[in-house]
Amino acid sequence: MNMNSIDQLKNNARNNHVPIMQDGGIKFIKEYIKDNNIKTILELGTAVGYSAINFASIDKDIFVLTVERDQDRYNEAIKNIKDFNLDKQIRVELKDALEFETDLKFDLIFIDAAKSQYIKFFERYKHNLNDGGVIITDNLSFHGMVDDLSLTHNRNTKQLVGKIRKYIEFLKENDEFETTFYQIGDGVSVSRKKKLD
Ligand code: SAM
């Protein structure tokens, strides 16, 4: 992997205000992929391909299917993925993740699309998990606002924080999945399907 270019990709995205994963979060998921021998990943929210490129670069046996609804970001992601010669390992779908469907199964599902829809994404794709697979979600801290709502006075942002809090409750109360929360990056959760006794 060419570290300079991946850093360039990160800096370009940040300079253009594309909301890509924070360094701590990306490091955490990359370690998780390596430690757990993850080979197939479904990502909701491609943006310009930064996280998908990071994941696929770990090993040539890793396949990432990633879904993005924004045409311009999709175009940019396709270009970036080609530049990294990863177009055989990463497939990008231009589609709303609330409409996209696949029969494929994955070792890891990574939710990083619209924060207001996390529960819907979780419910929609949980059947796409392989046995022992996990759903990882980013942005559960939402820049600290989930713990401290006084950090924002914006009504829309407050509503979004409310939705993230609901998602956290949904995960905590979920009978099917066991979730661990990590104060890493912008707040990450790892949800694993419980084994039936
Ligand atoms: N995973 C990317 C990374 O770290 O490089 C960042 C993804 S960014 C936080 C979220 C992306 O999800 C945006 O580009 C947005 O257009 C896309 N998005 C939001 N809601 C979506 C939906 N319902 N279906 C598909 N894409 C969606």
Side-chain angles (χ1 to χ4, degrees):
M1 170 174 38
N2 184 334
M3 279 314 287
N4 276 338
S5 344
I6 218 156
D7 273 349
Q8 266 169 16
L9 178 60
K10 175 170 86 177
N11 292 335
N12 278 345
R14 295 213 171 126
N15 290 340
N16 290 310
H17 308 288
V18 178
I20 56 169
M21 282 200 85
Q22 293 188 8
D23 293 350
I26 207 104
K27 185 163 175 274
F28 174 83
I29 300 185
K30 282 171 75 176
E31 295 290 320
Y32 190 91
I33 290 169
K34 286 182 209 163
D35 293 349
N36 294 278
N37 202 25
I38 301 285
K39 294 295 177 205
T40 50
I41 301 167
L42 172 64
E43 175 183 70
L44 309 180
T46 318
V48 294
Y50 172 70
S51 49
I53 287 169
N54 265 280
F55 303 155
S57 300
I58 294 170
D59 190 293
K60 60 178 174 13
D61 291 341
I62 292 175
F63 170 70
V64 184
L65 172 56
T66 178
V67 186
E68 173 59 54
R69 68 178 173 189
D70 181 272
Q71 178 80 60
D72 291 343
R73 286 194 177 159
Y74 167 86
N75 292 346
E76 181 85 28
I78 294 285
K79 182 189 164 297
N80 289 333
I81 289 162
K82 246 193 159 53
D83 286 350
F84 278 82
N85 281 320
L86 289 170
D87 39 330
K88 291 206 169 50
Q89 278 177 257
I90 305 176
R91 187 175 121 205
V92 192
E93 289 284 342
L94 176 60
K95 193 103 191 153
D96 194 309
L98 292 174
E99 290 165 12
F100 177 70
E101 281 179 41
T102 176
D103 291 333
L104 295 174
K105 302 253 181 202
F106 300 87
D107 300 330
L108 166 60
I109 297 176
F110 175 46
I111 302 180
D112 197 20
K115 297 176 209 25
S116 56
Q117 309 288 351
Y118 278 175
I119 296 180
K120 284 191 183 151
F121 293 141
F122 192 101
E123 293 288 22
R124 184 172 181 84
Y125 291 101
K126 63 183 184 187
H127 76 279
N128 291 100
L129 272 185
N130 278 325
D131 287 346
V134 292
I135 299 182
I136 296 187
T137 313
D138 191 28
N139 301 120
L140 295 184
S141 154
F142 199 19
H143 311 294
M145 290 182 286
V146 171
D147 278 340
D148 182 0
L149 200 55
S150 72
L151 291 175
T152 180
H153 298 294
N154 179 294
R155 230 178 98 231
N156 290 341
T157 311
K158 281 189 173 180
Q159 268 178 6
L160 213 45
V161 170
K163 296 240 169 154
I164 297 174
R165 285 180 171 168
K166 275 206 178 107
Y167 180 65
I168 292 170
E169 282 314 304
F170 160 84
L171 292 177
K172 284 183 178 164
E173 289 166 6
N174 201 298
D175 292 332
E176 262 183 298
F177 285 81
E178 184 88 61
T179 296
T180 311
F181 297 90
Y182 298 90
Q183 298 286 348
I184 286 168
D186 196 26
V188 175
S189 64
V190 179
S191 307
R192 184 183 301 277
K193 199 163 182 174
K194 290 180 187 167
K195 288 207 174 77
L196 294 174
D197 301 317

